[in-house]
Amino acid sequence: MLNVALPKGRLGETVYHRLAAAGFECPSILEKNRRLTFENEEKGVRYFWVKPSDVGIYVERGAADVGIVGKDILLETKPDVYELLDLGLGKCRMCVAGFADFYDDRERSLRVATKFPKIAAGYYESVGRDIDIIKLNGSIEIAPILGLSDVIVDIVETGNTLKENNLAVLQEIVQISARFICNKVSYQFRHAEIERMKDGLLQAEEARQAEKE
């Protein structure tokens, strides 16, 4: 069976329904229980739920043949996988944010609070800016408010949290959305099955868009 790593949470549930519409349904996944793996031998698929940040690891290491993961996680963790498809789900932006009137004094290092140190470092390296990265795990909007950092690098969906804390987007770094990824060895030996799933996802989305019209 094709092993599919789904991210726990709303995104994973949305992706599963699209996979089901593509012909890869597995009814047991909808049951109320604490199971983590679900199989449909007839359809040749086995799904399992994992923490979103772990999807790339499962796919890279071959525990999963394919998986769905946010572009932010791919950029931050850089797993050695193939990125086959942009699903157009979970759209948001990775941005630099801070006080709207923030002035960047380039005579000193810029203090950047973030959950994504590699993305932040890569962005500021590309613009030639020396930074001091402050790695945080919780809500980072408070960092500039308390003077811990000058700016933050974080995912922005609606921007409401920034506005409520008197912060604003200062620079967009990259657009983020869910991606369909694949183990490199699996793609070589199970190419037809994986391409069939990818094509099914595309067709399911096209059908969904057609219904909306």
Side-chain angles (χ1 to χ4, degrees):
M1 287 183 284
L2 204 62
N3 289 305
V4 184
L6 294 176
K8 290 180 180 178
R10 184 176 59 183
L11 174 61
E13 292 170 2
T14 300
V15 170
Y16 166 72
H17 287 295
R18 187 173 292 187
L19 283 162
F24 299 95
E25 67 273 16
C26 182
S28 63
I29 203 171
L30 301 175
E31 298 172 1
K32 297 291 184 180
N33 55 53
R34 293 181 177 272
R35 291 174 55 196
L36 296 175
T37 62
F38 309 87
E39 301 177 2
N40 185 336
E41 292 187 15
E42 181 183 350
K43 298 296 182 178
V45 291
R46 178 188 293 115
Y47 294 108
F48 54 92
W49 298 112
V50 298
K51 187 176 179 180
S53 58
D54 290 340
V55 171
I57 298 172
Y58 279 88
V59 175
E60 179 183 31
R61 296 281 182 163
D65 298 298
V66 297
I68 288 80
V69 64
K71 184 65 175 179
D72 55 318
I73 294 172
L74 290 179
L75 291 171
E76 183 64 26
T77 62
K78 299 187 183 300
D80 186 20
V81 298
Y82 290 135
E83 182 181 324
L84 301 182
L85 182 65
D86 182 350
L87 295 172
L89 297 169
K91 289 184 177 181
C92 51
R93 301 173 291 159
M94 184 70 68
C95 298
V96 178
F99 293 113
D101 60 354
F102 171 71
Y103 169 72
D104 185 5
D105 180 3
R106 299 184 71 90
E107 295 298 317
R108 64 177 181 81
S109 292
L110 182 70
R111 297 173 301 158
V112 181
T114 185
K115 301 174 187 175
F116 306 94
K118 291 182 180 177
I119 293 176
Y123 168 71
Y124 280 107
E125 182 180 356
S126 73
V127 297
R129 185 66 171 96
D130 182 42
I131 63 171
D132 173 19
I133 291 181
I134 303 167
K135 174 71 166 66
L136 297 177
N137 298 306
S139 298
I140 65 172
E141 290 84 3
I142 198 170
I145 295 172
L146 297 181
L148 178 64
S149 72
D150 300 306
V151 295
I152 63 175
V153 168
D154 200 14
I155 290 174
V156 176
E157 189 171 356
T158 64
N160 291 336
T161 302
L162 293 177
K163 291 177 183 177
E164 289 177 5
N165 289 281
N166 299 313
L167 302 175
V169 171
L170 303 177
Q171 181 67 48
E172 180 179 307
I173 297 175
V174 65
Q175 291 281 336
I176 301 296
S177 58
R179 308 301 166 100
F180 181 60
I181 63 172
C182 165
N183 175 270
K184 290 186 172 181
V185 175
S186 296
Y187 194 68
Q188 180 180 355
F189 291 100
R190 311 192 69 176
H191 182 268
E193 298 162 81
I194 292 168
E195 283 294 311
R196 186 164 63 250
M197 181 171 281
K198 185 188 80 170
D199 292 343
L201 285 166
L202 279 171
Q203 292 166 11
E205 175 58 13
E206 290 171 357
R208 192 180 71 85
Q209 292 295 338
E211 287 180 4
K212 288 172 64 176
E213 296 174 2

